[in-house]
Amino acid sequence: MTLSKSLKLAAITAALALSSTAVLAKDLTISVWSGGTGESENYRVDNIEIAADELMREAAISGEELTIKVEKKTFTSWDDFKQAVTLAAESKTAPNIIVTGHEDIAPWSQSGLIRPIEDYIDLDAWPMSQIYPNLLDIASFNGQVWGLPQDAESRPFFFFKPHMKAIGYSDEQIEALPAKIESGDYTLYDALNDAKKMQDAGLVEQGHGFYPRVSNGPDYWQFYVSFGGEIQDKETGKLVFNKQAMTDMYQFFADAVKMGVTSPTHLGTDWGQWYNEVANGKAGIWHGGTWHYARYKKEGQQDFFGNIQFSLIPEGNANGKPNTVTHPLVYLVSNTGDDEVAEISSQLVAIASEPRLNTLHAIKSGHLAIGSEQTAIPLYANDRWASEATVRLLPHAVSMPNNTEFGAFWNVMFKGLEASWTGQKSVADAVADVEAEYKATMADAIIMK
């Protein structure tokens, strides 16, 4: 923390101390909204409520009168969530605490919707001091820390073990598959060939051999990296369009459709249907998120480790590498209310980030730890999924950049992927259109390769 930041934090703390009777004696209402949040992710908002109870108990012991009411709202749909936040911001009624993807930090900080959390809490103090530095980096933009990571995750490749056995893999070969993928000895095209064998053997229906996610999402950047793509230039911070990598990525999904292992109409499949099918062996090979572990159990898959193998996304060719994307959600403090409200909101976020509280969310929802001390919490340490996924995936994780142009960059990429996937355009034409749109709309923000 710089001297100027320390002085600002000290000034806020001093002001709160001088006005503690006036501020802390009255009731406060703190609102928290969370996007992309299903039933198993309730602790994203519940931990703020638990934190409020803790803060009120601490205030009572100090002889202060503090009442905090937490108003919670969750959205399963990211589109509905983003629209609600945007409308609330326009009417100056944004929630005090927002749980969202880290990619929103760049545009929302520049629009003035959020405040740097480092202005209200000491990042060198516990529990912030034990949060993994790379996650704090992901919560940063333009030299400031704007939020705290709410969770960590990554996006693995999955194989249904009984189907792999049925096409000739031994138990030993299946167990060795993650290492074989990590070394580059098993590629994305090997996966398509195995998916075709499963369909030819009648193990899964046509178009279910390779069963990707059914909508746009961060996962698809993994395939770009698998074919040698780079998302952001480290030196300049600019986004990177690698034409060959994008071409090879689009071609991979077009080839999956041509082989019949993925349907040209797969995108838009109902998510509930998709979860049930991949959890119960109606698909052969697919990709998803670490949090899917909890959902698969809900769908009836009670022997995950007996039936499902997981790994990094394989490399696509010699230009690329095995990888996984991590897309942490973050706690952000909005500009709603004054500095005193922001300070209380930040304290709640800090308490919610303590190892024991964050572990409640991690284990229930199938996410990973945000800090080093969580591995010592028995609930986390004794969970096989959390332990194995952390070691196998996170060291190879890449993240999407906090860049104001990334949303537009992303939308253009996926539009081209969808066009080539569904056969509306050839791969060459889709890539040409992507390149043309990049040059026309954001040439200064992109390095063309």
Side-chain angles (χ1 to χ4, degrees):
M1 181 178 292
T2 66
L3 180 59
S4 61
K5 293 171 184 172
S6 298
L7 289 174
K8 183 172 182 180
L9 181 58
I12 293 172
T13 303
L16 286 169
L18 289 172
S19 59
S20 60
T21 301
V23 175
L24 299 183
K26 63 182 182 182
D27 295 345
L28 296 175
T29 298
I30 302 295
S31 54
V32 53
W33 292 5
S34 180
T37 297
E39 293 179 6
S40 65
E41 290 117 352
N42 59 289
Y43 280 108
R44 283 181 178 149
V45 294
D46 286 357
N47 276 346
I48 297 296
E49 195 168 46
I50 295 171
D53 180 70
E54 175 67 20
L55 201 57
M56 288 188 290
R57 289 173 183 270
E58 292 176 1
I61 291 174
S62 300
E64 301 166 346
E65 297 179 21
L66 175 61
T67 302
I68 304 173
K69 178 184 177 182
V70 176
E71 293 183 342
K72 305 177 295 183
K73 190 171 185 179
T74 60
F75 299 76
T76 55
S77 165
W78 279 111
D79 289 339
D80 291 345
F81 167 74
K82 296 293 180 67
Q83 182 180 37
V85 171
T86 300
L87 293 174
E90 290 174 353
S91 63
K92 301 189 184 306
T93 59
N96 302 107
I97 300 170
I98 307 173
V99 189
T100 190
H102 69 89
E103 70 276 5
D104 289 324
I105 290 175
W108 288 0
S109 63
Q110 295 201 337
S111 71
L113 172 59
I114 57 175
R115 316 175 194 228
I117 202 168
E118 67 176 24
D119 287 350
Y120 300 94
I121 59 175
D122 184 355
L123 295 175
D124 295 324
W126 189 88
M128 286 68 68
S129 59
Q130 58 87 48
I131 293 176
Y132 293 124
N134 65 320
L135 294 184
L136 282 177
D137 289 342
I138 291 171
S140 303
F141 178 65
N142 277 351
Q144 290 183 296
V145 180
W146 290 87
L148 293 183
Q150 190 280 318
D151 61 22
E153 47 94 324
S154 63
R155 318 248 166 163
F157 221 53
F158 293 104
F159 301 82
F160 199 70
K161 287 184 177 181
H163 297 341
M164 295 294 281
K165 290 181 183 180
I167 62 172
Y169 281 81
S170 66
D171 288 333
E172 291 75 17
Q173 288 173 320
I174 293 173
E175 292 310 304
L177 193 54
K180 192 174 181 180
I181 288 171
E182 183 178 348
S183 66
D185 292 326
Y186 184 98
T187 70
L188 283 171
Y189 278 94
D190 290 325
L192 293 189
N193 289 331
D194 283 341
K196 183 70 163 55
K197 291 177 183 177
M198 293 178 192
Q199 287 187 184
D200 291 345
L203 301 169
V204 296
E205 294 180 4
Q206 186 81 2
H208 284 60
F210 176 55
Y211 216 52
R213 67 170 286 144
V214 299
S215 65
N216 191 2
D219 309 48
Y220 286 109
W221 288 106
Q222 298 171 124
F223 295 91
Y224 179 60
V225 175
S226 287
F227 285 102
E230 181 184 1
I231 305 174
Q232 184 178 37
D233 180 66
K234 293 180 180 179
E235 293 185 4
T236 65
K238 288 188 175 184
L239 302 170
V240 178
F241 168 64
N242 185 308
K243 186 174 182 178
Q244 188 60 56
M246 195 78 76
T247 299
D248 292 342
M249 170 196 174
Y250 287 7
Q251 189 64 56
F252 168 75
F253 286 96
D255 288 342
V257 170
K258 185 177 180 180
M259 291 174 66
V261 297
T262 303
S263 169
T265 60
H266 176 77
L267 292 171
T269 299
D270 178 75
W271 269 110
Q273 172 189 331
W274 184 89
Y275 273 119
N276 184 266
E277 288 177 332
V278 299
N280 294 295
K282 294 180 180 179
I285 301 171
W286 67 99
H287 64 101
T290 49
W291 67 95
H292 287 190
Y293 174 76
R295 178 61 184 260
Y296 297 165
K297 292 173 67 176
K298 181 181 176 182
E299 294 292 340
Q301 180 50 258
Q302 299 304 315
D303 186 15
F304 177 90
F305 290 100
N307 288 322
I308 297 174
Q309 180 59 286
F310 72 99
S311 71
L312 298 167
I313 302 291
E315 69 177 42
N317 57 29
N319 296 325
K321 63 181 180 180
N323 71 99
T324 182
V325 160
T326 183
H327 178 242
L329 297 196
V330 289
Y331 280 123
L332 303 176
V333 175
S334 80
N335 62 7
T336 300
D338 55 21
D339 267 341
E340 294 160 342
V341 171
E343 199 273 345
I344 293 295
S345 297
S346 298
Q347 285 189 40
L348 297 180
V349 167
I351 294 171
S353 302
E354 292 179 5
R356 192 174 292 275
L357 288 187
N358 191 267
T359 293
L360 294 175
H361 166 72
I363 300 306
K364 182 174 182 181
S365 65
H367 284 79
L368 305 179
I370 64 169
S372 58
E373 291 185 11
Q374 280 181 250
T375 58
I377 302 297
L379 181 63
Y380 194 94
N382 295 330
D383 186 89
R384 180 180 175 184
W385 173 245
S387 300
E388 291 192 11
T390 298
V391 172
R392 190 175 299 178
L393 302 173
L394 284 187
H396 303 273
V398 297
S399 64
M400 298 183 301
N402 290 336
N403 184 299
T404 54
E405 300 290 342
F406 184 65
F409 183 72
W410 181 350
N411 288 336
V412 173
M413 178 279 287
F414 190 77
K415 184 169 65 174
L417 173 61
E418 188 173 22
S420 56
W421 182 327
T422 58
Q424 297 173 16
K425 296 178 181 178
S426 68
V427 168
D429 286 346
V431 173
D433 287 349
V434 167
E435 182 177 22
E437 189 163 353
Y438 282 156
K439 288 180 177 178
T441 61
M442 58 186 77
D444 292 341
I446 299 178
I447 295 174
M448 303 284 188
K449 291 186 176 181

